[in-house]
């Protein structure tokens, strides 16, 4: 390992021709970046643009889009660049959004909460607007849950509930469901792609076919921008910019912040 707690051979696996190796590396890297973004953002006000998962996804897609053209020597170099990119992304968003920004109804701990009264001395109209927004967020979360659970058997529904919606680790989830740790991890791993497709299905009707091909390739199939570039004939950097723009725009609009957090759980590796 290059650093304490960092996975082995990240760069080698990201550059592999084996899809399984690339996917595993992406899951490892997603977890590392979300963890760093959460630590960097500790104590800061919750905002749409400061959700750790959003920051991490933006950096991950942007950096991987440039990977083929970068002279990165080893994992230490790669992780150092990624960590710096996380800090710079947070600074940029803080400057762009000022102190307030657009508040969210989901904390950085991924628990839904109301933002009523966060401003100094809100009047009745502010409270009503906040309550209405909280109801909309709750309704969107219920819609996501129904969509992801549809057609699944009872054990799969329990797995999705505790692992995807609640974010439990594999051991706690397996004990709760009454199955083995390894069986749960294997089943969730097999299910992630179809669950990402279910989660993002409402986005399809809101984007043009070329845009959906990019989103589907990067977020559902988990193809690196460089590889997807060969399929779509689009420059990797443009693919990265397009994904970042859509995630912070139409994807956020259609699935909400809870959907963004769920998406990152489905992109990352399940904790033991």
């Amino acid at each position: 390992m290059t650093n304490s707690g960092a996975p082995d051979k990240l760069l080698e696996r990201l550059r592999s021709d084996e899809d399984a190796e690339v996917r595993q590396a992406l899951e490892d890297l997603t977890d590392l970046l979300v963890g760093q973004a959460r630590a960097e953002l500790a104590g800061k006000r919750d905002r749409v643009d400061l959700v750790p998962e959003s920051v991490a996804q933006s950096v991950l897609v942007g950096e991987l889009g440039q990977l083929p053209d970068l002279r990165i020597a080893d994992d230490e170099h790669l992780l150092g660049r990624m960590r710096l990119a996380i800090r710079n992304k947070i600074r940029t968003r803080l400057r762009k959004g000022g102190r307030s920004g657009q508040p969210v109804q989901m904390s950085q701990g991924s628990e839904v909460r109301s933002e009523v009264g966060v401003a100094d001395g809100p009047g009745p109209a502010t409270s009503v607007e906040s309550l209405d927004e909280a109801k909309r967020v709750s309704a969107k979360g219920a819609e996501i849950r129904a969509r992801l659970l549809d057609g699944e058997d009872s054990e799969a529904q329990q797995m999705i509930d505790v692992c995807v919606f609640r974010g439990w680790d594999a051991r706690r989830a397996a004990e709760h469901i009454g199955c083995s740790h390894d069986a749960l991890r294997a089943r969730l791993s097999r299910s992630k792609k179809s669950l990402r497709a279910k989660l993002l299905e409402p986005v399809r009707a809101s984007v043009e076919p070329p845009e959906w091909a990019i989103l589907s390739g990067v977020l559902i199939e988990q193809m690196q921008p460089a590889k997807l570039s060969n399929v779509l004939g689009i420059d990797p950097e443009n693919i990265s910019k397009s994904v970042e723009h859509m995630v912070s725009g139409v994807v956020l609009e259609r699935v909400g912040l809870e959907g963004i957090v769920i998406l990152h759980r489905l992109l990352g590796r399940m904790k033991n």
Side-chain angles (χ1 to χ4, degrees):
M1 293 190 181
T2 57
N3 313 79
S4 176
D8 283 323
K9 300 181 179 178
L10 267 176
L11 186 60
E12 178 181 327
R13 287 186 288 142
L14 285 171
R15 288 174 168 167
S16 172
D17 292 328
E18 298 292 330
D19 289 344
E21 288 289 312
V22 174
R23 282 195 296 271
Q24 288 174 9
L26 286 172
E27 288 179 354
D28 287 339
L29 194 52
T30 296
D31 288 341
L32 284 173
L33 295 184
V34 170
Q36 186 195 341
R38 185 170 290 118
E40 297 272 353
L41 288 164
K44 294 183 174 64
R45 176 187 172 91
D46 286 351
R47 282 170 24 190
V48 165
D49 57 349
L50 292 181
V51 174
E53 288 81 2
S54 174
V55 173
Q57 182 65 34
S58 176
V59 167
L60 184 64
V61 173
E63 290 295 308
L64 291 183
Q66 303 177 63
L67 189 60
D69 300 322
L70 298 176
R71 296 180 179 178
I72 296 180
D74 51 31
D75 282 6
E76 185 174 357
H77 186 186
L78 173 68
L79 292 174
R81 181 184 176 90
M82 290 287 190
R83 291 185 177 112
L84 180 61
I86 287 284
R87 294 190 186 101
N88 289 338
K89 180 67 68 175
I90 290 171
R91 291 192 190 104
T92 299
R93 291 188 174 185
L94 281 169
R95 286 196 299 269
K96 182 179 179 182
R99 291 186 60 191
S100 58
Q102 182 182 351
V104 301
Q105 276 63 50
M106 178 171 293
S107 73
Q108 289 161 2
S110 301
E111 294 295 334
V112 177
R113 63 183 176 87
S114 171
E115 286 289 333
V116 177
V118 294
D120 292 333
T126 302
S127 296
V128 170
E129 288 174 3
S130 296
L131 284 170
D132 287 345
E133 178 62 18
K135 289 177 183 178
R136 285 193 291 273
V137 170
S138 179
K140 194 176 291 289
E143 178 187 319
I144 289 172
R145 283 167 166 73
R147 188 163 65 251
L148 265 60
L149 294 173
D150 184 49
E152 304 287 348
D153 61 45
S154 59
E155 185 173 299
Q157 288 183 345
Q158 289 185 72
M159 175 189 72
I160 294 167
D161 177 43
V162 296
C163 298
V164 179
F165 299 152
R166 304 191 200 184
W168 288 10
D169 63 64
R171 296 191 185 282
R172 181 184 178 191
E175 289 175 3
H176 177 79
I177 295 171
C179 64
S180 74
H181 168 263
D182 289 341
L184 178 73
R185 289 180 63 85
R187 183 166 191 180
L188 183 60
S189 179
R190 292 194 301 269
S191 301
K192 279 184 172 182
K193 179 180 174 181
S194 65
L195 290 173
R196 291 194 298 268
K198 282 185 178 183
L199 175 66
L200 294 173
E201 182 58 32
V203 180
R204 183 196 289 262
S206 300
V207 297
E208 296 297 323
E211 294 175 317
W212 175 249
I214 292 173
L215 273 182
S216 177
V218 173
L219 297 182
I220 296 177
E221 300 294 336
Q222 282 195 290
M223 297 174 66
Q224 286 198 55
K227 188 169 184 178
L228 187 58
S229 172
N230 295 331
V231 176
L232 300 179
I234 303 172
D235 182 83
E237 187 175 352
N238 288 333
I239 289 176
S240 299
K241 289 179 179 178
S242 180
V243 172
E244 181 177 353
H245 174 74
M246 285 189 282
V247 167
S248 62
V250 65
V251 176
L252 177 62
E253 178 184 340
R254 294 309 304 270
V255 306
L257 285 163
E258 184 168 0
I260 294 291
V261 172
I262 287 172
L263 174 62
H264 284 275
R265 286 178 183 157
L266 293 172
L267 287 168
R269 184 177 298 281
M270 186 181 189
K271 297 179 177 61
N272 288 315

